[in-house]
Amino acid sequence: QQQVKQSPQSLIVQKGGISIINCAYENTAFDYFPWYQQFPGKGPALLIAIRPDVSEKKEGRFTISFNKSAKQFSLHIMDSQPGDSATYFCAASKNSNYQLIWGAGTKLIIKP
Amino acid sequence: DAGVIQSPRHEVTEMGQEVTLRCKPISGHDYLFWYRQTMMRGLELLIYFNNNVPIDDSGMPEDRFSAKMPNASFSTLKIQPSEPRDSAVYFCASSLSYRGGTDTQYFGPGTRLTVL
């Protein structure tokens, strides 16, 4: 019940296309859902995060869509660029617990 | 702010040797996390501290692993004795408790450990 399942494991998208990465969780107590971006040789860095009081959050070309009833959330990258090529991790946590439960990661490659 | 600082950035050692990884969190942050990342197992939380006190070390793989946080600006992760299967990238991250809840974790650049 503590798991966060992330898919796909890898994704190749043409430049200008939409990249979509999905995550699902079981624990209904989770109330914080961040996405982290990791470039080779670097540590993960927060990209965007959402709390369950909203169904969507947009920051530039990056959007989180959240479906509370389905216990799913997804990251959409619009107009994908080669510079977006990285590994993306979803995560979840409970407000009372500072530990993030991490997805397995998605390696995204944007082809020019 | 310089961000989370880790040292060394790369460590190559032989099986059986002691390895010490170091971390300086962002000033003022009250949470510190140690992670291990491998291709096979992804990102694993090893242990985390709040105000220098270990809160959850259930992710520490074996007694060969130990972590300390003697003060708010320094933490170590020690492996003794090291084994080839410990080869991984070890990350330190810190965060600031936010209105009693979770907030952004800021990761360091990592230490790439190779045990021969």
Side-chain angles (χ1 to χ4, degrees):
Chain A
Q1 205 185 24
Q2 281 288 86
Q3 283 186 323
V4 174
K5 295 183 179 179
Q6 183 172 347
S7 62
Q9 192 173 17
S10 61
L11 181 62
I12 300 174
V13 175
Q14 288 292 131
K15 178 183 174 183
I18 302 173
S19 304
I20 302 174
I21 304 171
N22 300 297
C23 283
Y25 64 97
E26 290 294 323
N27 191 339
T28 56
F30 287 152
D31 58 5
Y32 175 68
F33 303 91
W35 285 90
Y36 279 73
Q37 180 187 54
Q38 184 181 26
F39 293 106
K42 305 289 186 182
L46 180 68
L47 182 64
I48 187 172
I50 197 168
R51 296 188 187 270
D53 51 341
V54 296
S55 60
E56 186 175 281
K57 182 174 181 179
K58 184 176 180 179
E59 291 185 0
R61 296 184 294 108
F62 300 91
T63 300
I64 298 180
S65 296
F66 182 76
N67 187 328
K68 190 173 182 178
S69 60
K71 292 184 285 188
Q72 295 176 346
F73 59 109
S74 59
L75 176 69
H76 295 238
I77 306 175
M78 311 300 287
D79 187 25
S80 300
Q81 299 296 312
D84 298 330
S85 297
T87 299
Y88 292 81
F89 293 93
C90 64
S93 74
K94 295 181 288 187
N95 209 34
S96 59
N97 184 338
Y98 297 85
Q99 178 179 342
L100 285 173
I101 308 301
W102 295 83
T106 296
K107 184 172 183 178
L108 174 65
I109 296 172
I110 307 300
K111 298 188 85 171
Chain B
D1 198 321
V4 175
I5 298 172
Q6 291 187 246
S7 65
R9 292 294 312 277
H10 302 274
E11 177 80 34
V12 180
T13 190
E14 294 191 345
M15 182 174 65
Q17 297 297 305
E18 177 180 296
V19 175
T20 299
L21 311 182
R22 297 172 176 79
C23 175
K24 177 178 169 57
I26 293 173
S27 177
H29 282 192
D30 53 351
Y31 279 84
L32 184 138
F33 306 83
W34 280 102
Y35 289 93
R36 178 172 68 176
Q37 185 175 42
T38 61
M39 289 294 292
M40 290 298 294
R41 301 176 68 90
L43 197 59
E44 300 174 276
L45 176 66
L46 301 177
I47 185 172
Y48 74 97
F49 296 82
N50 176 222
N51 291 324
N52 314 336
V53 176
I55 302 301
D56 186 346
D57 66 353
S58 59
M60 297 284 263
E62 300 170 33
D63 291 345
R64 298 184 296 106
F65 286 69
S66 62
K68 294 182 180 179
M69 193 165 185
N71 57 62
S73 59
F74 184 66
S75 178
T76 60
L77 178 67
K78 185 177 293 187
I79 308 172
Q80 166 65 16
S82 58
E83 296 183 4
R85 60 190 166 129
D86 301 330
S87 297
V89 180
Y90 291 81
F91 288 105
C92 174
S94 70
S95 71
L96 180 65
S97 54
Y98 172 69
R99 293 186 294 184
T102 313
D103 197 16
T104 306
Q105 291 187 17
Y106 294 85
F107 282 74
T111 295
R112 181 173 294 276
L113 174 65
T114 302
V115 183
L116 302 175

